[in-house]
Amino acid sequence: MTIDIEPLKLGPILGLDQASPLRDALLGRRGAPLTLDASDVERLSGPCFQVLASARVTWDADGKPFAFSSVSPAFENGLALLGAADWIRPQEDCLP
């Protein structure tokens, strides 16, 4: 049985002011598999990355899938600038 869950679409600017709304959006999906769409992200701040990293640990602890359906080059670049270039493991976390 396949469960079709709408990905959580991340906004283009994940700045400091978006960390709290991002946390709230993620917490609203806790307990279920989570797919994130980062295809529109133009900027990723440290605080938003921390929220995403915390969510990943939380989903792992809950035994629920945490995946990215797609990511933008800017999102990948933001991860690299934060020293987290390998944070997304395509073979494990990106869905086809």
Side-chain angles (χ1 to χ4, degrees), residues 19-86:
S20 182
L22 177 59
R23 180 202 64 218
D24 294 343
L26 291 167
L27 285 175
R29 296 199 177 201
R30 185 161 183 196
L34 179 63
T35 302
L36 299 169
D37 178 351
S39 62
D40 290 340
V41 174
E42 297 171 11
R43 187 178 65 183
L44 174 64
S45 70
C48 283
F49 171 69
Q50 289 176 325
V51 170
L52 291 170
S54 176
R56 182 181 196 171
V57 170
T58 300
W59 262 251
D60 285 348
D62 290 349
K64 301 294 180 184
F66 180 94
F68 286 87
S69 59
S70 61
V71 297
S72 68
F75 185 81
E76 290 179 328
N77 188 46
L79 291 176
L81 290 171
L82 292 166
D86 63 349

